[in-house]
Amino acid sequence: MTRIQQVHWELEMDYLGHPYYVSGNAIYHALGMQLDHDVHQHINASHGMFVPGQFGTFPEEHSESGIRPYMGSSLPDVESYDDLFLFRHPGHPWLLDSRPRDGLNAHDVRIQSGMPALSHETITGRPEDARKQQQTTKWYINAYLHADDPDTLPLGEDVLDGLQFGGKRNYGYGTTTLKDTQVVNLDDLDYSRLKDGDAFILELVTPFVLRSEYPAANNVDVPWWWSVDDEAQLRHRLENVVEGGDVYELETVDHGVVVGYEGDRPVETAKNGLTRVGNHSKYGFGELRVKSVPKREVSQKCDEKRKNGQVGDSKTQTSPGTDQSSPR
């Protein structure tokens, strides 16, 4: 039995840190300040995805349907594998098209002590004849935990509430409150969309680590079950892990990259992708999503992603001073 605990935090103060997500390492270390050492060693943390609290509609592959007000502010029930990814995509495809989604799916940035910070709320103006002339969007952080010892979960609300992430925490930045949490048994989910599939693609939800400067970490190649002719075709990104005063560089295949799948066990691969694969998976790297597609669409989808820049050969250095994986 493999269980995960979904956690939904509400940002109460601006966040100074990684612009794309709160790293799993940051979440793991923040929990370490609340847990006994022996319990903490069993915890594995995902990256925390930023989610706007806005009106949305469930995507076609979700078990539920219809429009919900402030959909991003809480966790919906989970019945199938695809339900787990509702809030794990940075483009927030569930946002309503009838609203200014290009403005609602991106953080407002405010300068705090000379540093850019992601605002904990986005305030947008409206026409003068509107009933309310401004609208406020709260921001949330979606993450999940799993444990080597299944008896470790679920963690109590008193442990999860009030955690802080990012820099300048002594000044109150990155403060969160626990908004919602629930436990999901991966073995009980509906995987019929994968069982009935003819062919599959893999989408990297978080970066996959190929090479790491972290002590005793092994370098790895692109997995054989990825349909990739040349590693250079993949878009790469450099990330950092910070431990105390030491900074270790990671070379990764970037999140959002899509590749074909050459394995023959898609359901098992899907479960492993949730608990993550490769180096530093304990800290959020290597999360994968398996998608079923008709065989004739596989090549077309990969070509489209490549044209849109989601698969490429560029190498990107993260901004100096931003914290990729440390709670600091």
Side-chain angles (χ1 to χ4, degrees), residues 81 191-202 225 261-274 288-292:
Y81 167 70
Y191 295 91
S192 58
R193 291 174 68 93
L194 299 182
K195 292 177 180 177
D196 298 337
D198 295 325
F200 306 92
I201 56 175
L202 305 174
W225 37 277
Y261 176 61
E262 293 188 343
D264 58 359
R265 304 176 66 189
V267 173
E268 289 76 9
T269 302
K271 292 179 181 178
N272 288 337
L274 288 168
L288 302 170
R289 180 179 184 180
V290 183
K291 293 182 176 180
S292 173

Side-chain angles (χ1 to χ4, degrees), residues 207-210 235-239 250-254 285:
F208 177 83
V209 179
L210 295 172
R235 187 178 68 239
H236 293 74
R237 174 178 296 278
L238 296 181
E239 298 263 3
L250 312 178
E251 182 180 335
T252 74
V253 179
D254 203 2
F285 292 95

Side-chain angles (χ1 to χ4, degrees), residues 28 35-43 147 152-153 155:
Y28 176 80
L35 296 170
D36 292 338
H37 175 76
D38 291 343
V39 175
H40 185 229
Q41 298 307 303
H42 292 295
I43 297 295
T152 303
L153 298 181
L155 300 183

Side-chain angles (χ1 to χ4, degrees), residues 67-92:
I67 297 173
R68 298 287 188 277
Y70 302 103
M71 188 168 165
S73 62
S74 61
L75 294 170
D77 293 338
V78 176
E79 298 179 9
S80 72
Y81 167 70
D82 290 307
D83 294 351
L84 293 169
F85 296 95
L86 181 63
F87 297 141
R88 303 294 292 168
H89 194 290
H92 312 300

Side-chain angles (χ1 to χ4, degrees), residues 208-221:
F208 177 83
V209 179
L210 295 172
R211 282 162 278 280
S212 171
E213 291 183 341
Y214 197 84
N218 295 323
N219 296 330
V220 301
D221 296 324

